[in-house]
Amino acid sequence: MVSRDGWLFSGLRLEGVYRKGGARARSLKLLAEFRRDARSVKLRPGEHFVEDVTDTLKRFFQLPQKNQRLEKYKDVISCLPRVNRRTLATLIGHLYRVQKCAALNQMCTRNLALLFAPSVFQTDGRGEHEVRVLQELIDGYISVFDIDSDQVAQIDLEVSLITTWKDVQLSQAGDLIMEVYIEQQLPDNCVTLKVGPEGTGGEIRR
């Protein structure tokens, strides 16, 4: 048996501790033993390595179901200061809209998560776990940040207009502005329409 302090000492000296994975078979076996009876688990030299233990610890705290992870994200985010929470919601909401237009901008959720994870989590950009968390936050934006049905409808409307009408613009007030041609694409047949954030609209000029 190896003492806890012995494992702690050797683990703290290991380069890339927690970043390096252990042997999958040994980690899964150790994880099963922990879940069965954690108090009876004995770490033995030659049978267990630091990487196996750190890998097991990471696996132990992972939630296997995505909906469980999303609920946990909500709990963590709710503990943030109000300014931080609203800033994060605004950022994730923006990225959610960007990926909804991926057919046009080629920026899928994965690409956005790879770019923003280092800044959001203050890492060196090599953490796959951070990328996955941000990816799930973007995909789960509606659920994690409790976006109501009216807001969802507005987002869907914006995305639909942007992906359908290439000349759509967004004003500073949040209004969608587009040019619509009646019958023929001629200057005299052009009508400029405005759709407000609440989904109502009207003609600006003709």
Side-chain angles (χ1 to χ4, degrees):
M1 176 180 172
V2 180
S3 69
R4 178 183 63 83
D5 291 339
W7 274 98
L8 178 62
F9 180 74
S10 60
L12 291 177
R13 298 173 57 187
L14 180 66
E15 180 181 351
V17 62
Y18 284 108
R19 193 177 70 231
K20 295 181 178 179
R24 177 179 171 80
R26 291 197 300 265
S27 296
L28 290 177
K29 180 182 177 183
L30 189 57
L31 178 61
E33 293 175 357
F34 265 104
R35 284 178 170 165
R36 185 169 55 250
D37 185 3
R39 292 181 180 275
S40 67
V41 174
K42 307 298 182 183
L43 300 177
R44 300 177 178 83
E47 182 179 347
H48 302 110
F49 299 88
V50 173
E51 294 92 336
D52 300 333
V53 177
T54 56
D55 201 25
T56 300
L57 184 60
K58 288 187 293 184
R59 291 175 186 272
F60 183 79
F61 285 106
Q62 282 180 354
L63 295 173
Q65 300 299 322
K66 185 176 180 179
N67 61 335
Q68 292 179 313
R69 294 197 298 273
L70 293 180
E71 287 300 318
K72 182 60 67 175
Y73 298 155
K74 290 178 68 172
D75 291 342
V76 173
I77 291 171
S78 68
C79 296
L80 293 174
R82 183 171 179 269
V83 173
N84 301 68
R85 190 168 63 249
R86 296 189 66 175
T87 300
L88 180 62
T90 300
L91 172 63
I92 300 301
H94 169 67
L95 298 180
Y96 177 80
R97 288 171 169 82
V98 172
Q99 62 85 29
K100 292 284 281 186
C101 299
L104 296 176
N105 58 40
Q106 304 301 309
M107 292 303 292
C108 64
T109 308
R110 173 72 179 176
N111 289 341
L112 292 169
L114 285 168
L115 288 171
F116 279 88
S119 300
V120 172
F121 293 101
Q122 297 295 295
T123 62
D124 58 9
R126 291 180 291 178
E128 178 61 30
H129 178 67
E130 289 83 357
V131 172
R132 191 189 73 171
V133 169
L134 186 55
Q135 194 171 344
E136 292 185 344
L137 283 177
I138 297 172
D139 286 335
Y141 167 69
I142 302 298
S143 171
V144 173
F145 293 94
D146 293 323
I147 307 303
D148 63 40
S149 58
D150 290 340
Q151 290 176 286
V152 172
Q154 174 63 22
I155 293 172
D156 289 342
L157 175 61
E158 292 174 4
V159 171
S160 176
L161 291 171
I162 290 170
T163 54
T164 303
W165 303 90
K166 65 179 180 180
D167 295 325
V168 167
Q169 301 176 36
L170 188 65
S171 73
Q172 291 184 344
D175 300 320
L176 290 168
I177 301 174
M178 71 192 77
E179 292 182 345
V180 177
Y181 291 88
I182 301 173
E183 295 184 354
Q184 293 180 314
Q185 192 168 347
L186 299 172
D188 291 340
N189 295 348
C190 181
V191 176
T192 302
L193 300 178
K194 177 179 71 173
V195 179
E198 68 283 356
T200 59
E203 180 180 335
I204 299 177
R205 65 179 182 275
R206 184 170 181 171

